[in-house]
Amino acid sequence: MKDAVKVMQKFDDIKKFVQGVMSEKRFAHTMGVAEEASRLAGIWDVNPEKAYLAGLIHDVAKELPYSDAKRIIESSGLLDDGDAFPDSVALHGFMAAHIAKTKLNITDEDVLNAARYHTTGRVGMSVLEKIIYVADFTEQGRPYPQAKEVREISERDLDAAVLREADHVIKFIIDSGRVLCTTTVEVRNSFLNNSKRG
Ligand SMILES: [Fe+2]
Ligand SMILES: [Fe+2]
């Protein structure tokens, strides 16, 4: 706990910036993700400061209007040639990485990628990317029972937690009649295949 407080103080300016661009509710979620990510980092041998920082920035662009984010991404050449343009759900992760780099001077690529891919995940995620993907779903403020289930799994098997979360997300998106992002399906299949191999 003492360490978590120290880490929080270290990132005080970033925290203030983040707090200034989002609602109180989203800021509470953000802090929940930062804390859960730093807890998981302790279990999975990742630098807890990096995990805390990635949690702190992951939703920094969530309340930026889609049209603004789209314009910024298009004009700044953020996507590699051949990259599909991210859909509205995935876009705020890309935008978060951009803001973190240009406004908050965060240069650590793993931290930036953890924010960039936090909504859909991606095949070949780093441990930190998995931690942010999971913590976004399981932070203490999440009210649904699936969060508790995935949180428990994440303490003993991080890959199994990613897989279970992807299952829940896919089911939820289908049940709510929304368009399913193909990356989420690819992530789910890749983790499922790996779990069968292992
Ligand atoms: Fe998000
Ligand atoms: Fe989030």
Side-chain angles (χ1 to χ4, degrees):
M1 192 61 204
K2 253 189 203 162
D3 284 352
V5 172
K6 258 191 237 160
V7 171
M8 257 188 263
Q9 282 164 349
K10 182 171 169 186
F11 297 127
D12 225 23
D13 289 345
I14 293 172
K15 211 170 106 183
K16 273 186 200 132
F17 177 90
V18 169
Q19 190 170 20
V21 295
M22 61 180 61
S23 67
E24 232 173 85
K25 194 177 169 202
R26 193 169 317 280
F27 184 64
H29 160 69
T30 291
M31 294 312 294
V33 174
E35 275 153 33
E36 179 62 7
S38 120
R39 188 182 80 87
L40 285 175
I43 300 173
W44 296 109
D45 208 18
V46 165
N47 181 334
E49 293 197 8
K50 274 194 190 195
Y52 188 89
L53 181 59
L56 214 49
I57 61 162
H58 85 284
D59 268 346
V60 70
K62 183 84 181 189
E63 292 179 18
L64 191 72
Y66 179 73
S67 53
D68 291 358
K70 193 168 184 284
R71 183 177 38 77
I72 295 167
I73 299 259
E74 279 170 345
S75 64
S76 53
L78 281 172
L79 296 177
D80 293 333
D81 287 347
D83 268 359
F85 198 84
D87 70 6
S88 58
V89 174
L91 187 67
H92 79 273
F94 278 78
M95 207 46 226
H98 178 62
I99 291 172
K101 205 171 182 174
T102 55
K103 294 213 160 121
L104 303 170
N105 300 317
I106 294 167
T107 53
D108 187 307
E109 274 304 318
D110 201 17
V111 170
L112 296 173
N113 282 336
R116 191 173 282 128
Y117 299 109
H118 80 268
T119 50
T120 57
R122 63 167 174 163
V123 174
M125 294 158 96
S126 71
V127 180
L128 180 61
E129 287 175 51
K130 291 176 197 172
I131 284 175
I132 296 300
Y133 179 77
V134 168
D136 194 24
F137 189 82
T138 64
E139 56 98 356
Q140 293 291 339
R142 294 298 204 194
Y144 36 81
Q146 293 90 338
K148 188 168 180 273
E149 181 208 5
V150 174
R151 191 183 309 128
E152 279 165 12
I153 298 172
S154 71
E155 289 167 3
R156 50 186 161 80
D157 187 336
L158 193 56
D159 285 4
V162 172
L163 176 58
R164 193 71 186 130
E165 176 179 334
D167 283 346
H168 285 310
V169 169
I170 289 168
K171 276 190 252 176
F172 173 76
I173 290 173
I174 289 172
D175 287 347
S176 53
R178 283 159 50 203
V179 173
L180 187 56
C181 177
T182 50
T183 312
T184 310
V185 179
E186 281 168 23
V187 168
R188 190 251 178 190
N189 288 347
S190 111
F191 278 83
L192 186 61
N193 286 334
N194 287 346
S195 76
K196 285 183 176 160
R197 252 179 246 131

